[in-house]
Amino acid sequence: MRNELSAARWAVRLLHVVALACLLLGSLAWLHPQTPPYRGRFAWLPELAFWWFGPVGPALLWAASGAMCITLARFLWRHTPKLPSDRWL
């Protein structure tokens, strides 16, 4: 049980860091919006977000990614067997 708890704690921390990075990139995209054409392998994602939501679309895409990471971390921590005294820190 301790190894499972340790792995879950590590994954939850990693997901929180990724969520923080996504939210930071979303706020930067909100403050300094870019316009198409986007470049890169997944350029179709911000293009699609721009097409649906306008110039704030890529920022909303980053914010949704961060929210998804936080939700996944909460789900993972909630469904990990642990003692009542265990915390995620």
Side-chain angles (χ1 to χ4, degrees):
M1 181 169 141
R2 284 319 245 179
N3 286 339
E4 184 179 344
L5 181 62
S6 176
R9 187 177 290 137
W10 182 83
V12 166
R13 287 177 181 164
L14 180 68
L15 282 169
H16 278 113
V17 168
V18 170
L20 183 65
C22 287
L23 293 174
L24 178 66
L25 287 171
S27 65
L28 287 174
W30 182 274
L31 295 174
H32 305 287
Q34 294 180 341
T35 56
Y38 298 102
R39 284 178 256 135
R41 182 177 301 234
F42 292 104
W44 60 273
L45 275 173
E47 291 258 357
L48 191 63
F50 185 86
W51 185 65
W52 280 345
F53 300 110
V56 297
L60 295 176
L61 183 67
W62 281 113
S65 299
M68 184 180 65
C69 286
I70 289 173
T71 304
L72 183 61
R74 182 176 169 96
F75 178 82
L76 179 66
W77 186 248
R78 198 158 200 196
H79 289 80
T80 302
K82 56 193 163 297
L83 298 173
S85 60
D86 288 330
R87 299 186 184 273
W88 73 277
L89 294 174

